């Protein structure tokens, strides 16, 4: 256990320079934006003198390093600035939109994991037979399929043609859990299917490698039912690699959720960042990008910790 905790602490410490690097990159890139924060804050009817006074009062004319240090100080205190008129704190806007993106991402992960286990395990158990061949074609098509394009196809087939799901919009789970699931079913499938297709191929490869190991033949030859060996040992050992790949796919899930939200009209971070880009609001864009990047880092840290606990070699090293 001490080894696992020490390695988990090492993973946590690596987040510090990564967070600083992300904040510096986002800050510098958005400083080259042609949008004038003073103009966004004061509105179209503001005079050049008023905009200059606003820039001086808010330190917009200070050197870039000074502004970055001030930005970090504000970030530590949870201050990301204010949006363009009608002005409101960026943190409030993100706090309203982030839960929906988180819900969509979690549902997408569930869709991807269930799909990966179903297809990957089936393909491995029926290796080189017709179920395996069909699953290979399906998984390759899923990997090559963009989430936004799949979302449009799902709307055409299951919303417009069959009417099983709404074409867009969001229902709060506090109002109706059933309607909430219906409103997020197609977006979650659009985001989760490509990831699940990729993970299915990883699960299949890992399962095949485990099934070919000596302990499987020994256990089956000793009279242990094959289903028991697969369920208790093979599947558990084979999921270590897919777990790592899933952590790397979190960025795709978040970016896919952001794009799909715009297609389905969901008021999440995707819609919010589109509003920021359209309105020329660098503070809002900066806040959303940082939120997505930090979420990606935190989720990857959690996946790394799960991997450390799931890896039997590390467990053996702690005994």
């Amino acid at each position: 256990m001490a080894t696992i905790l020490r390695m988990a602490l090492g993973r946590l410490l690596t987040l510090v320079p990564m967070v600083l690097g992300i904040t510096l990159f986002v800050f510098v890139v958005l400083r080259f934006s042609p949008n004038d924060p003073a103009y966004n804050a004061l509105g179209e009817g503001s005079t050049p003198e008023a905009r200059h006074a606003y820039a001086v009062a808010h330190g917009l004319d200070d050197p870039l390093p000074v502004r970055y240090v001030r930005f970090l100080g504000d970030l530590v205190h949870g201050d990301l600035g204010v949006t363009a008129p009608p002005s409101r704190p960026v943190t409030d806007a993100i706090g309203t939109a982030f839960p929906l993106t988180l819900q969509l991402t979690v549902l997408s992960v569930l869709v991807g994991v269930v799909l990966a286990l179903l297809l990957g395990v089936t393909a491995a158990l029926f290796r080189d037979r017709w179920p395996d061949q069909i699953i290979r074609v399906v998984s390759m098509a899923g990997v090559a399929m963009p989430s936004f394009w799949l979302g449009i196809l799902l709307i055409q087939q299951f919303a417009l043609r069959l009417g099983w799901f709404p074409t867009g919009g969001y229902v709060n789970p506090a109002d109706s859990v059933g309607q909430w699931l219906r409103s997020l079913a197609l977006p979650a499938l659009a985001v989760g299917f490509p990831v699940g297709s990729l993970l299915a191929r990883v699960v299949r490869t890992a399962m095949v490698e485990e099934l070919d190991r000596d302990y499987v033949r020994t256990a089956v030859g000793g009279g242990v039912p094959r289903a028991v060996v697969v369920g208790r040992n093979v599947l558990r050992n084979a999921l270590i690699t897919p777990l790592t790949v899933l952590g790397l796919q979190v960025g795709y899930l978040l970016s896919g959720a952001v794009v799909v939200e715009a297609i389905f009209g969901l008021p999440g971070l995707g819609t919010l960042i589109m509003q920021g880009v359209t309105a020329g609001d660098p503070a809002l864009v900066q806040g959303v990008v940082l939120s997505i990047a930090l979420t990606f880092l935190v989720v990857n840290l959690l996946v790394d910790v799960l991997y450390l606990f799931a890896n039997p070699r590390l467990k053996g090293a702690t005994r």
Side-chain angles (χ1 to χ4, degrees):
M1 182 62 69
T3 302
I4 295 178
L5 291 177
R6 185 164 55 251
M7 296 181 68
L9 181 60
R11 297 284 199 282
L12 182 62
L13 292 177
T14 59
L15 286 184
V16 177
M18 295 177 67
V19 169
L20 289 176
I22 289 173
T23 58
L24 179 60
F25 176 79
V26 173
F27 178 83
V28 172
V29 167
L30 288 180
R31 295 294 81 77
F32 290 100
S33 170
N35 296 297
D36 184 4
Y39 178 85
N40 292 335
L42 299 178
E44 184 177 356
S46 59
T47 63
E49 293 77 12
R51 292 196 293 271
H52 176 72
Y54 180 90
V56 172
H58 291 82
L60 300 179
D61 291 336
D62 293 340
L64 198 61
V66 175
R67 294 165 61 187
Y68 176 67
V69 172
R70 185 166 57 241
F71 165 72
L72 287 180
D74 294 337
L75 184 61
V76 170
H77 292 88
D79 183 7
L80 292 172
V82 295
T83 65
S87 300
R88 62 168 174 161
V90 173
T91 52
D92 290 352
I94 294 175
T96 302
F98 183 78
L100 190 152
T101 300
L102 182 61
Q103 294 168 23
L104 177 56
T105 303
V106 171
L107 289 177
S108 302
V109 169
L110 293 177
V111 170
V113 169
V114 171
L115 184 67
L117 291 177
L118 180 63
L119 297 181
V121 173
T122 302
L125 295 178
F126 293 91
R127 178 178 13 173
D128 296 330
R129 285 181 276 178
W130 67 266
D132 185 22
Q133 302 298 332
I134 294 176
I135 291 173
R136 285 185 183 181
V137 174
V138 172
S139 61
M140 285 190 294
V143 171
M145 192 177 300
S147 58
F148 67 88
W149 185 71
L150 178 58
I152 295 174
L153 292 182
L154 292 175
I155 291 175
Q156 291 178 340
Q157 181 65 30
F158 295 103
L160 296 177
R161 182 177 178 183
L162 298 176
W164 293 352
F165 299 95
T167 58
Y170 173 72
V171 177
N172 195 300
D175 299 329
S176 173
V177 175
Q179 294 300 319
W180 170 72
L181 286 174
R182 290 185 72 243
S183 67
L184 292 183
L186 295 184
L189 181 59
V191 177
F193 183 76
V195 173
S197 299
L198 174 63
L199 288 176
R201 303 180 67 179
V202 178
V203 170
R204 179 199 178 277
T205 302
M207 284 284 295
V208 168
E209 291 178 355
E210 287 296 321
L211 288 171
D212 288 340
R213 294 188 182 278
D214 292 336
Y215 78 86
V216 176
R217 290 189 290 268
T218 302
V220 174
V224 180
R226 183 178 175 84
V228 174
V229 177
V230 171
R232 289 184 177 179
N233 302 103
V234 175
L235 183 60
R236 183 179 61 186
N237 294 335
L239 289 182
I240 295 175
T241 301
L243 182 64
T244 305
V245 176
L246 178 61
L248 298 175
Q249 290 298 306
V250 171
Y252 176 87
L253 287 167
L254 287 171
S255 61
V258 166
V259 175
V260 168
E261 283 174 1
I263 295 175
F264 286 88
L266 301 174
L269 292 181
T271 302
L272 195 63
I273 197 171
M274 291 297 294
Q275 292 175 355
V277 172
T278 303
D281 191 345
L284 183 58
V285 174
Q286 177 177 266
V288 174
V289 171
L290 284 176
S291 300
I292 295 174
L294 293 178
T295 302
F296 173 73
L297 291 179
V298 170
V299 172
N300 270 272
L301 173 64
L302 295 178
V303 172
D304 285 344
V305 173
L306 289 176
Y307 173 79
L308 295 177
F309 279 98
N311 194 329
R313 290 187 292 269
L314 291 177
K315 289 183 177 181
T318 62
R319 293 174 183 171

